[in-house]
Amino acid sequence: MKLLFELCFWICIGLVFYTYIGYGIVAWFFVKIRKALGLTFKKYNDPYYLPKVTLVVPAYNEMSCIEAKVKNTFGLDYPSEKFEVLFVTEGSNDGTSEYIESLQNQYSNLRMIGGDTRRGKIEAMNMAMKTINTPIVIFTDANTTLNQLVIKNIVRHFQDPVVGAVAGEKRIQTEGSEAAAGAGEGLYWKYESFLKKLDTELYSVVGAAGELFAVRTNLFEHVEKDTLLDDFIISLRIAANGFRVIYEPDAYASERPSFSIQDEMKRKIRIAAGGFQAIARLGFLWNIFKYGLLSFQYVSHRAMRWAVAPFCLPLLVLINAIILFTGAELLDIFSYHLLMIAQIAFYILALLGYYLENKKIRVKILFVPFYFSFMNYCAIKGYFRYKNGLTSGIWEKVKRAE
């Protein structure tokens, strides 16, 4: 029995390590092998390839940022005759619809879909797709700022007929005095960017950031209205149909972090619940014999981060305590004492980070333990939210830092 507990302990450590660090090492190694064998994917960059595109912006009650979004959108470097903008303002009652409507005489390539009933972002996207006749559609959020060359940097990948979707980069705009939640989120997305670059070189990105992603219009499939992670579901279904999803870091959407740790927690819990919902709906992707590298990437980069690692972390503390109580066979007790002390110290630092965050005190050294613990706590909460059926395609708006 002692040996069994120790084996479980080290299996949990191995799973956590692989989820957050090991997969990146393995993916990097596989990419190096592909390059050595000359199996790299062809890159396309024809500056004269300028297909017609539609930029879709779901905008429910976005008066606080809609003027800046319009200015940013129509300042993008792309021919206006090949570029249509569609705002979906269904259910808005703060003047967003009226503001967009007032601009339609000013911009000939501006369209709007309104309505009095709020059905949620997913239904807004489904509704918008029925009206689009351009070969490529780009989705972006109303509260983000896009870089000027974003469309050109995205569409060049669609020269490759095997590419079905392109995922842009999400960037968090943090300042020197930013709260730990925002700074931690920024570090997380930098690491995610590194992994997505590896994913693209290995085969395909597994999931896109909803702040900015593009798809071939004819590959879009109707999304269930209660879907929480529309970007993830849409892009993975396209990948499952044999198309690659490309990551383009030079096409990016910038946004401010959540206003407070409480707002960020709500968002993370909802995303985690969406992750478990996606695992249930994309169960076929576990078939590595059919989907090969895509299955490997999906399980390693996504499914394990939601469904495995967060539950291994509390188990590590519990099993470590049992080993100390019952004795050990693989290592001496002193080693397990050190491991327990290390875990306790890590979570104390995380709690200290949480306490200082609420006091608006920023300590860089606490970002990693705080945000790592915070993400995994939200993942566990998200699981119970999903199991309790607390899912809806209508998002509760999260307050952003000014």
Side-chain angles (χ1 to χ4, degrees):
M1 184 62 72
K2 295 178 182 179
L3 182 60
L4 179 61
F5 279 122
E6 288 185 82
L7 289 174
C8 289
F9 180 80
W10 289 104
I11 288 172
C12 286
I13 285 183
L15 290 171
V16 172
F17 177 82
Y18 177 76
T19 300
Y20 290 104
I21 299 175
Y23 170 67
I25 296 172
V26 173
W28 178 86
F29 182 70
F30 282 171
V31 167
K32 290 295 183 182
I33 292 177
R34 286 186 63 92
K35 289 182 178 179
L37 296 175
L39 299 176
T40 55
F41 295 101
K42 183 179 178 181
K43 295 183 179 180
Y44 294 80
N45 196 17
D46 181 359
Y48 298 104
Y49 179 74
L50 300 170
K52 290 185 177 181
V53 302
T54 299
L55 187 75
V56 176
V57 187
Y60 168 73
N61 281 357
E62 298 287 4
M63 271 306 294
S64 62
C65 61
I66 199 66
E67 184 176 355
K69 184 64 177 181
V70 169
K71 182 178 180 180
N72 172 242
T73 299
F74 287 98
L76 299 178
D77 184 4
Y78 205 75
S80 59
E81 69 273 13
K82 295 188 176 183
F83 173 37
E84 182 177 71
V85 182
L86 174 58
F87 281 90
V88 187
T89 63
E90 50 88 37
S92 292
N93 55 17
D94 70 338
T96 300
S97 298
E98 291 77 6
Y99 177 76
I100 297 297
E101 190 174 16
S102 71
L103 299 174
Q104 288 185 303
N105 290 331
Q106 182 178 348
Y107 301 105
S108 60
N109 55 340
L110 171 63
R111 287 200 298 125
M112 183 189 76
I113 298 177
D116 298 326
T117 304
R118 185 189 181 195
R119 298 181 178 87
K121 180 181 178 181
I122 291 81
E123 284 292 81
M125 292 168 68
N126 286 330
M127 185 166 54
M129 289 303 296
K130 295 177 182 178
T131 73
I132 292 172
N133 53 26
T134 58
I136 296 169
V137 58
I138 302 173
F139 296 102
T140 183
D141 288 344
N143 65 338
T144 61
T145 301
L146 307 181
N147 63 304
Q148 194 173 32
L149 292 174
V150 63
I151 300 178
K152 289 183 177 179
N153 289 336
I154 283 177
V155 300
R156 63 187 178 87
H157 293 289
F158 288 106
Q159 295 174 71
D160 185 348
V162 179
V163 171
V166 176
E169 178 175 301
K170 174 181 177 179
R171 296 186 180 181
I172 303 299
Q173 298 173 319
T174 55
E175 300 174 353
S177 59
E178 206 68 78
E185 188 182 3
L187 289 173
Y188 169 78
W189 280 106
K190 287 179 182 177
Y191 181 58
E192 268 298 292
S193 178
F194 168 73
L195 291 181
K196 286 181 178 180
K197 289 175 184 176
L198 290 176
D199 280 340
T200 295
E201 292 186 80
L202 182 56
Y203 174 60
S204 174
V205 171
V206 282
E211 288 78 7
L212 178 63
F213 73 105
V215 302
R216 292 188 188 275
T217 305
N218 65 327
L219 297 181
F220 180 89
E221 298 180 10
H222 183 88
V223 186
E224 299 87 341
K225 65 180 181 179
D226 65 337
T227 301
L228 298 179
L229 298 183
D230 53 273
D231 46 1
F232 188 77
I233 291 287
I234 292 169
S235 57
L236 261 294
R237 284 176 173 167
I238 289 174
N241 286 328
F243 295 88
R244 293 178 65 217
V245 180
I246 300 299
Y247 173 61
E248 178 47 76
D250 288 328
Y252 54 87
S254 303
E255 70 176 17
R256 297 288 287 135
S258 300
F259 178 75
S260 68
I261 193 62
Q262 288 75 26
D263 288 313
E264 180 65 5
M265 183 178 294
K266 289 179 184 178
R267 193 177 72 88
K268 286 291 186 188
I269 290 173
R270 185 177 176 86
I271 289 173
F276 287 102
Q277 182 190 63
I279 288 173
R281 291 182 177 175
L282 300 172
F284 54 86
L285 281 179
W286 289 80
N287 186 351
I288 196 168
F289 298 104
K290 182 176 181 180
Y291 296 101
L293 274 175
L294 181 63
S295 289
F296 166 70
Q297 293 179 291
Y298 165 69
V299 173
S300 299
H301 192 172
R302 291 301 178 192
M304 289 185 67
R305 192 174 292 188
W306 284 319
V308 178
F311 298 93
C312 285
L313 292 171
L315 278 177
L316 281 170
V317 177
L318 176 62
I319 297 173
N320 202 158
I322 293 173
I323 292 171
L324 290 176
F325 182 75
T326 60
E329 293 186 6
L330 286 178
L331 293 179
D332 60 80
I333 284 293
F334 179 70
S335 299
Y336 287 105
H337 272 291
L338 290 178
L339 289 168
M340 178 61 89
I341 290 171
Q343 290 185 82
I344 293 173
F346 184 86
Y347 292 121
I348 287 175
L349 289 175
L351 288 171
L352 180 59
Y354 176 76
Y355 172 77
L356 293 177
E357 153 65 16
N358 286 324
K359 296 290 184 180
K360 304 299 180 183
I361 300 174
R362 181 176 182 266
V363 182
K364 282 188 175 182
I365 198 172
L366 301 178
F367 287 174
V368 173
F370 166 70
Y371 202 71
F372 179 82
S373 303
F374 173 72
M375 281 196 312
N376 285 284
Y377 170 77
C378 290
I380 294 173
K381 293 276 288 185
Y383 168 76
F384 289 106
R385 177 170 180 168
Y386 169 68
K387 291 298 289 184
N388 290 330
L390 301 177
T391 58
S392 169
I394 301 177
W395 281 74
E396 179 182 349
K397 290 175 70 67
V398 172
K399 187 176 181 181
R400 295 284 176 179
E402 297 296 332

